[in-house]
Amino acid sequence: MRDQGETVGDQLGGPAQAAPEGSGAASRRRRPRRSRRATQGLSDAKPAASSQLTLEAPGLSSADGHLERPAIGTAAASSSAPGSEVSVTTRSPAASSAQSPNSPLLGDARPTLRHYGFAVLSVAVAWGLTLAAPALHQLPTSLFFAAVMVTAFYGHLGPGLLATALSSLILEYFFMSPFKNPATGFEETVRVTVFALTAVLINSLHERRRLAEAQRRRLQDQLRQAQKLEAIGRLAGGVAHDFNNFLTIIQGRAQLVLRSLEPRDKSRSDIELIDITAGHARDMVDQLLAFGRNQVLQPKILDLDVVVADMKKILSPLIGEAIMLVIVQGTALGRIKADPTQLKQVFMNLAANARDAMPQGGRLTIETANVEVDSAYARQHAEASVGPHVRLTVRDTGAGMDAGTMTRVFDPFFTTKDVGKGTGLGLATVYGIIKQHGGHIALESAVGRGTTFAIYLPRVDEREGA
Ligand SMILES: Nc1ncnc2c1ncn2[C@@H]1O[C@H](COP(=O)(O)OP(=O)(O)O)[C@@H](O)[C@H]1O
Ligand SMILES: [Mg+2]
């Protein structure tokens, strides 16, 4: 759902350029206490399939194989930069061709191996019980039926059917045929099978309805969130625009007066203070302008990998030595149309947050890839637009966020950091910049495991420098 009205060139003006967060004056803050609940947030809640309720941050562990990252693993150059360890991996061309965005940041409603395993396990437990306790020998039917029901309600048609088939086979061959009149036993098995199948089918229908409902609710939440940010953005951007003009005058005049004063004039320090304070205020106003999508963009056709390579030098000292910077570049990456200065702000803000989330050190991975946003993905992400995109993934192994924090991270002035450490404008700026570029952000996080920001920017066909 690209916001066509707010694309490049549609600004109110203001020579602004977002300053790195933290440079603005400390201001009003809301400081919620952190809770340790690990759940999904704003833009990327998973479908509420029972299997997906354990909310994890795919891609945060190296073993899950979710993000197509080094999967592909043709490790190439490994370069180091001052300050921290940097490794650069380049994908093979085949691997970096367009990928579906669904895998890393979307749960999906299909049954997994875990569900099939659960089906086998529940039937095995029922079988074990009947073998272990002779009294239960009389009740194999009800035990297996229970196993099938549990599997069915655990979710998914496939595993339910598997449990039904297994139970029926075991019933027939181990309980009915040896002990009873084969005809009667067979009838019994058929009856159990029909019961179980009915339960599985009803549950599957119910599950589908539940998923659809959960998806609808999630989309509504996302839309509400986007509308809220849109509204605050307009307000903040409008106010910031006017303030920018006032501050330009205040700072300009202060500088003029300073020039006309004698070096030893005793008013000098007062005027200097006015100048410096107006400068701080402008830093903050610039960030609000970015959040309100009121920046004047100077878009260029860019190769995001070139931007990433440039950023490496800046980010390494920013994150410090304790954090390893891993860069996974996509080869044959599509071009984007973006303002490099604004993109720099995005990198700086995300990296600064990652650094703050990993005080004991960790890994910051920056990855680029071509992705094709399809309608299935767009259905799950209210702000996504269908089509070819370049995805920038910034992933840390830090403290992560709980659900409450995740829903508010893009709000201006929302910070969980101490006074002087956070302004709460970093992600608001990132959000505004990405929206102004026609992109969207998906967020995934788990307390104690880390955070992934996936930024989707529309791919353009034009040649570099066009
Ligand atoms: N990578 C991250 N890991 C954990 N929490 C994060 C991360 N990025 C942002 N946050 C949370 O989002 C809040 C808002 O971030 P931001 O807008 O950059 O403001 P600030 O960094 O000034 O607090 C942070 O205070 C923090 O709670
Ligand atoms: Mg920040």
Side-chain angles (χ1 to χ4, degrees):
M1 204 188 58
R2 188 180 306 179
D3 192 344
Q4 301 288 4
E6 298 278 342
T7 46
V8 177
D10 178 22
Q11 305 88 21
L12 297 174
Q17 207 197 79
E21 59 177 317
S23 57
S27 48
R28 289 166 286 144
R29 289 185 180 83
R30 287 169 281 156
R31 294 181 188 285
R33 292 187 55 207
R34 287 189 197 218
S35 92
R36 305 288 294 178
R37 220 154 25 97
T39 35
Q40 287 297 112
L42 163 67
S43 41
D44 206 33
K46 289 178 179 171
S50 45
S51 61
Q52 307 290 346
L53 283 175
T54 337
L55 294 161
E56 303 164 342
L60 298 175
S61 77
S62 55
D64 59 18
H66 255 302
L67 293 184
E68 312 71 7
R69 99 183 97 127
I72 312 141
T74 35
S78 197
S79 63
S80 54
S84 69
E85 197 180 331
V86 180
S87 75
V88 180
T89 306
T90 309
R91 283 207 191 87
S92 66
S96 67
S97 62
Q99 303 158 3
S100 158
N102 290 342
S103 49
L105 291 152
L106 263 188
D108 99 38
R110 278 171 304 208
T112 61
L113 267 184
R114 204 154 57 100
H115 293 99
Y116 285 103
F118 186 80
V120 175
L121 186 73
S122 59
V123 172
V125 167
W127 190 6
L129 282 174
T130 52
L131 293 179
L136 294 175
H137 229 112
Q138 313 305 319
L139 306 165
T141 309
S142 28
L143 279 174
F144 282 116
F145 189 62
V148 171
M149 291 293 282
V150 168
T151 306
F153 280 97
Y154 184 56
H156 301 302
L157 184 60
L161 292 179
L162 177 69
T164 309
L166 281 179
S167 311
S168 311
L169 283 175
I170 294 173
L171 263 178
E172 178 61 25
Y173 289 103
F174 293 93
F175 295 96
M176 302 305 173
S177 307
F179 305 116
K180 288 192 179 173
N181 173 338
T184 324
F186 185 68
E187 272 168 28
E188 175 105 352
T189 307
V190 167
R191 204 165 47 238
V192 171
T193 309
V194 169
F195 269 147
L197 272 180
T198 314
V200 167
L201 288 173
I202 289 175
N203 181 57
S204 164
L205 286 177
H206 172 72
E207 184 71 9
R208 263 176 200 229
R209 250 215 341 257
R210 210 167 60 82
L211 273 179
E213 175 61 20
Q215 179 160 321
R216 196 183 56 77
R217 249 183 287 127
R218 201 178 53 251
L219 268 180
Q220 262 179 359
D221 283 352
Q222 288 179 11
L223 268 176
R224 247 200 313 274
Q225 190 80 3
Q227 281 164 352
K228 181 188 81 181
L229 290 173
E230 170 87 26
I232 321 175
R234 276 186 198 287
L235 179 71
V239 173
H241 179 63
D242 288 345
F243 263 79
N244 201 36
N245 293 339
F246 299 144
L247 289 168
T248 306
I249 295 169
I250 293 172
Q251 209 173 17
R253 292 302 149 92
Q255 284 164 1
L256 272 182
V257 174
L258 271 178
R259 253 177 260 155
S260 67
L261 287 182
E262 294 297 323
R264 289 174 172 276
D265 196 305
K266 59 180 185 335
S267 332
R268 200 173 178 87
S269 60
D270 291 333
I271 310 288
E272 274 171 354
L273 188 62
I274 294 175
D275 181 26
I276 292 168
T277 311
H280 287 323
R282 277 189 69 150
D283 286 343
M284 211 171 99
V285 159
D286 285 347
Q287 293 176 76
L288 284 178
L289 281 172
F291 172 61
R293 297 175 236 166
N294 291 342
Q295 294 284 56
V296 177
L297 294 185
Q298 289 173 339
K300 293 196 175 76
I301 305 296
L302 294 175
D303 178 344
L304 190 59
D305 276 337
V306 174
V307 182
V308 171
D310 286 346
M311 288 308 297
K312 213 167 61 184
K313 297 187 266 307
I314 301 170
L315 296 186
S316 296
L318 176 75
I319 58 176
E321 285 179 9
I323 296 172
M324 185 169 84
L325 178 61
V326 179
I327 293 176
V328 185
Q329 294 176 329
T331 48
L333 200 67
R335 298 291 179 265
I336 53 168
K337 191 171 186 180
D339 182 332
T341 315
Q342 302 295 314
L343 281 187
K344 189 173 152 196
Q345 293 306 322
V346 169
F347 278 101
M348 303 270 285
N349 284 322
L350 293 179
N353 283 343
R355 177 205 56 203
D356 293 345
M358 298 186 282
Q360 316 295 345
R363 196 171 60 240
L364 172 63
T365 309
I366 297 179
E367 184 176 351
T368 54
N370 290 328
V371 291
E372 200 62 42
V373 171
D374 54 18
S375 49
Y377 176 88
R379 272 199 297 278
Q380 310 246 11
H381 292 79
E383 296 187 65
S385 58
V386 173
H389 285 72
V390 170
R391 183 179 63 208
L392 169 71
T393 311
V394 178
R395 183 170 51 239
D396 66 58
T397 54
M401 294 175 244
D402 57 50
T405 304
M406 284 173 79
T407 53
R408 299 170 69 194
V409 284
F410 298 112
D411 293 0
F413 302 112
F414 172 81
T415 182
T416 56
K417 297 171 190 171
D418 291 337
V419 179
K421 290 215 166 133
T423 59
L425 285 173
L427 290 179
T429 309
V430 169
Y431 181 86
I433 292 172
I434 298 306
K435 285 292 277 183
Q436 197 171 353
H437 281 83
H440 77 279
I441 307 174
L443 167 61
E444 200 159 77
S445 190
V447 172
R449 293 189 60 196
T451 301
T452 303
F453 286 92
I455 292 177
Y456 293 80
L457 290 164
R459 217 149 67 205
V460 291
D461 285 334
E462 297 155 78
R463 301 225 315 268
E464 192 157 8

